[in-house]
Amino acid sequence: MAEARLTPLAKGLIALVIVAVTAAAAWHLGLKNLFRGEGGGAGGGGGTVAAGGDGGAARPGTPGGGGGGTAAPPPSGALGSAGNPLKVSLVSFHGYAPALLANGKSLRTTTGSIFDRNGVQVEFVIQDDLPTLTTIFESGAAHCAWRTSDFWAQEQPNLRNSSHDGRAVMIVDNTQGADAVIARDPNVRRIEDLVGKRVALLQYTPSHGMLIDALENSSLTARQRSQVQLVFINADEGTAGVRAAFAGGHVDAAVIWDPDLSLALRATPGAHEIYSTRVATNLIYDVIVCDQRVLRVPANERVIQAFVKGWLDGVTASEAQPDEAVDALIRTEQFFELLAREQGRPFVRNLLRNLVWTGLDDNARILGLVGGTNYYENVYRRFDRIYRTAGALANPASPVINPSDSFDYRFVRNLLAAQPQARVEAERPQFVFTEQQRTEAAARPAAVTRPVIVNFAPASAELTRRAQQVIDQEMVPLVESHGSAYFEVSGNTDSTGSRTTNQRLSLQRAQAVVDYLVTQWEFPRTRFVVSGYGPDRPLCNEAQPEEGMSLEDCRGRNRATRVAVLAREQTP
């Protein structure tokens, strides 16, 4: 996710000669005081650890207020011309390699490059200190800037509060394995195993949001979730601080992203993934957000359109020649130059396996432009709620923004209309599901299991209208956000009544739920394992319910239908 001056990033690099834990400058300015807290578990503030290290790859947190960029001479000419290039703020991250390749492996457009052939001059501004969008737009440091879709849901209300606004214009990458929850203890294999464990992470980042999402989708009670001890690492330590806390044994688990994720798995004995965006594939996207003042000028539509097309053309070029994309990163960003020098060029190349550069067809699919779900808007809506609840917004009274008001769809739509083949590609399934893979996935521990109360009439396996609504609201989003996963849908009962009858009826009810998901939501049937466990797998001990829970409440938990997320592969 490198600047010419010697930032704390570079100083840390030189001091420790551990290149792969650099580029945390995105956390260094204006952030550290926002990440200091006292005690608390998954629902609270979490502890703060200064774990050491020299930074990590830049990704979003609550941005600082400073660092608007170095003063530049006043522009001359129309936007997108050589005298007034479209300025785009980025951080050092491998998801942006296609744009750097499209610019001629340069931060400024070179003659004959993809952007040049598309008729737009672009200047990329590396701002690893991560200023706010308000700072960027007010200072004129850039016209557009990257954001993760979850973090954009945090920042747009703040941007509006400052009398500004913006819109995302395209999705540039989709992490599929680049963000993960990792552990060292071989007995910690799933999200539910984190109860009583210390988990290191950076607050109000994709790591934080992903963990909250996973905990909410787990079978843990509120009390058990509060016993997951979140350890918020000082912001100036970055993801390297998270990795150092994990490697040093100060915590039991960590939520982290590449390259520190790959380094931790490589260097820490016993380290393994228990949950990642390899299974939660529709959870974290990077987008480009442009100043609404720029987007409202009719003459600028051609410029932004050329920019979007050029970036997506860069995706095509990078997919065809990934080594050229790696070369673009190494030539333009100090972070990747040093990373390649110390860890080897193949290490940088391997980072590309854990994300998808999203081309036009991916944009069309993710945005729901060929029918089906708008995954981007789902993420924006869900994380707006998650971060508001967690207290991440600068002004908690900020109005809720309709997700459709966060994205300017015209640029992707225009390209889709001009390239019908992209529509055909977008309509194809992203993943293929087979019975053999399903069997293999079912043989491994579930990454997470969510109980869902689907009520049936006594002795009946027929879905009521209310039961269908519960499936729509609670099961379908889980299936959609875990795009590569298989699922076990199991019927479960309490201990009352005949065990044989309970097992038979629980299987019939689970089958009814799967039939509904297949016929009404058109999910492939091969994604589902149907099981009926009756009273055999209780979530609650009916002989001794936990404190504060009645026997009937305990039995109610056990009567829930459960949806277990089954990863198609255990490790990258």
Side-chain angles (χ1 to χ4, degrees):
M1 271 192 161
E3 287 187 13
R5 67 181 184 276
L6 195 61
T7 63
L9 151 68
K11 292 177 183 176
L13 240 173
I14 293 170
L16 296 181
V17 202
I18 306 176
V19 173
V21 294
T22 59
W27 304 100
H28 286 193
L29 300 182
L31 287 174
K32 62 188 78 174
N33 292 331
L34 296 176
F35 292 83
R36 306 188 189 279
E38 302 279 339
T48 301
V49 170
D54 55 348
R59 286 283 291 278
T62 305
T70 305
S76 61
L79 183 65
S81 66
N84 186 15
L86 181 71
K87 292 184 178 181
V88 182
S89 173
L90 300 180
V91 292
S92 303
F93 186 61
H94 47 294
Y96 311 139
L100 299 170
L101 182 61
N103 224 23
K105 300 181 182 179
S106 173
L107 295 179
R108 293 203 61 159
T109 303
T110 61
T111 302
S113 66
I114 292 174
F115 279 126
D116 185 51
R117 295 198 302 269
N118 274 278
V120 61
Q121 298 292 303
V122 179
E123 179 180 353
F124 291 113
V125 182
I126 305 300
Q127 294 185 295
D128 279 332
D129 56 341
L130 195 61
T132 65
L133 286 177
T134 300
T135 300
I136 292 172
F137 293 162
E138 283 186 348
S139 69
H143 306 98
C144 305
W146 75 280
R147 286 298 185 264
T148 56
S149 51
D150 67 293
F151 182 58
W152 174 222
Q154 283 186 57
E155 195 170 10
Q156 190 177 16
N158 297 333
L159 189 63
R160 285 196 178 181
N161 287 339
S162 66
S163 302
H164 292 280
D165 202 0
R167 295 289 187 278
V169 297
M170 64 175 157
I171 295 165
V172 296
D173 65 59
N174 172 201
T175 170
Q176 293 190 11
D179 295 77
V181 184
I182 59 176
R184 182 189 300 101
D185 185 342
N187 294 317
V188 178
R189 307 300 304 180
R190 57 197 185 114
I191 290 296
E192 285 85 354
D193 295 333
L194 295 176
V195 174
K197 301 295 190 292
R198 290 166 55 83
V199 185
L201 69 158
L202 295 174
Q203 192 178 31
Y204 302 150
T205 66
S207 290
H208 195 182
M210 181 175 73
L211 181 60
I212 292 174
D213 183 79
L215 290 170
E216 288 186 351
N217 282 320
S218 75
S219 59
L220 300 177
T221 64
R223 181 182 295 275
Q224 289 170 327
R225 290 198 297 270
S226 73
Q227 294 168 354
V228 179
Q229 302 171 43
L230 305 189
V231 180
F232 294 135
I233 300 302
N234 287 342
D236 55 356
E237 301 297 341
T239 48
V242 177
R243 183 163 70 91
F246 178 73
H250 303 297
V251 295
D252 305 293
V255 195
I256 195 171
W257 57 77
D258 268 335
D260 283 287
L261 167 61
S262 293
L263 286 165
L265 291 172
R266 170 192 284 191
T268 308
H272 58 276
E273 289 183 5
I274 65 171
Y275 186 79
S276 82
T277 52
R278 198 178 306 281
V279 60
T281 57
N282 293 316
L283 202 62
I284 299 177
Y285 304 109
D286 275 3
V287 300
I288 296 297
V289 175
C290 293
D291 190 335
Q292 188 74 330
R293 294 173 300 179
V294 172
L295 295 173
R296 286 178 180 145
V297 177
N300 292 339
E301 182 173 0
R302 180 202 66 81
V303 177
I304 302 299
Q305 187 71 70
F307 168 64
V308 172
K309 182 178 185 301
W311 190 307
L312 298 183
D313 287 348
V315 169
T316 302
S318 296
E319 289 174 341
Q321 297 180 300
D323 286 327
E324 292 296 298
V326 170
D327 194 48
L329 286 171
I330 293 171
R331 289 193 186 190
T332 57
E333 297 183 358
Q334 180 189 34
F335 168 55
F336 285 101
E337 177 190 0
L338 295 171
L339 187 62
R341 186 187 309 162
E342 294 296 326
Q343 296 295 322
R345 190 183 178 102
F347 180 85
V348 178
R349 170 69 184 268
N350 285 339
L351 294 176
L352 306 183
R353 298 181 307 166
N354 292 339
L355 59 74
V356 173
W357 294 316
T358 48
L360 179 57
D361 56 333
D362 296 305
N363 269 260
R365 178 187 58 80
I366 293 166
L367 297 172
L369 298 181
V370 292
T373 300
N374 187 321
Y375 296 102
Y376 161 82
E377 290 193 5
N378 277 357
V379 169
Y380 186 100
R381 182 181 298 106
R382 176 152 178 74
F383 281 92
D384 174 78
R385 182 193 64 77
I386 284 176
Y387 287 127
R388 283 177 189 271
T389 302
L393 269 64
N395 180 359
S398 297
V400 175
I401 296 173
N402 190 317
S404 63
D405 290 335
S406 71
F407 204 101
D408 191 332
Y409 289 91
R410 56 184 160 158
F411 305 106
V412 174
R413 280 190 173 123
N414 289 343
L415 290 176
L416 195 60
Q419 300 181 39
Q421 183 57 35
R423 176 178 291 275
V424 174
E425 295 295 328
E427 290 174 341
R428 292 176 179 168
Q430 186 181 18
F431 298 99
V432 175
F433 298 94
T434 67
E435 292 184 4
Q436 179 178 344
Q437 281 186 342
R438 182 182 65 189
T439 301
E440 293 170 353
R444 294 189 289 267
V448 67
T449 301
R450 176 171 183 168
V452 181
I453 305 299
V454 180
N455 291 319
F456 293 85
S460 171
E462 184 176 349
L463 291 174
T464 65
R465 179 59 186 150
R466 174 58 185 153
Q468 292 173 353
Q469 291 174 345
V470 170
I471 295 171
D472 295 345
Q473 295 167 9
E474 298 189 38
M475 286 192 183
V476 171
L478 182 69
V479 176
E480 290 186 328
S481 64
H482 294 78
S484 71
Y486 293 85
F487 297 87
E488 181 188 36
V489 177
S490 63
N492 300 269
T493 70
D494 59 32
S495 61
T496 62
S498 163
R499 181 177 177 278
T500 301
T501 299
N502 283 340
Q503 282 189 315
R504 175 181 54 76
L505 189 58
S506 64
L507 180 62
Q508 292 172 344
R509 288 174 171 176
Q511 187 64 63
V513 171
V514 169
D515 289 344
Y516 179 80
L517 290 169
V518 170
T519 59
Q520 298 302 312
W521 286 93
E522 301 179 359
F523 294 123
R525 190 174 292 275
T526 48
R527 293 188 73 178
F528 298 101
V529 176
V530 182
S531 302
Y533 294 121
D536 292 348
R537 296 193 180 185
L539 289 175
C540 182
N541 182 357
E542 295 176 26
Q544 189 176 3
E546 64 181 76
E547 184 180 351
M549 179 178 286
S550 69
L551 176 59
E552 184 50 39
D553 287 341
C554 182
R555 286 173 173 169
R557 284 200 71 209
N558 289 336
R559 288 195 296 268
T561 302
R562 296 173 207 164
V563 185
V565 179
L566 308 174
R568 62 171 57 210
E569 55 184 10
Q570 194 169 21
T571 58

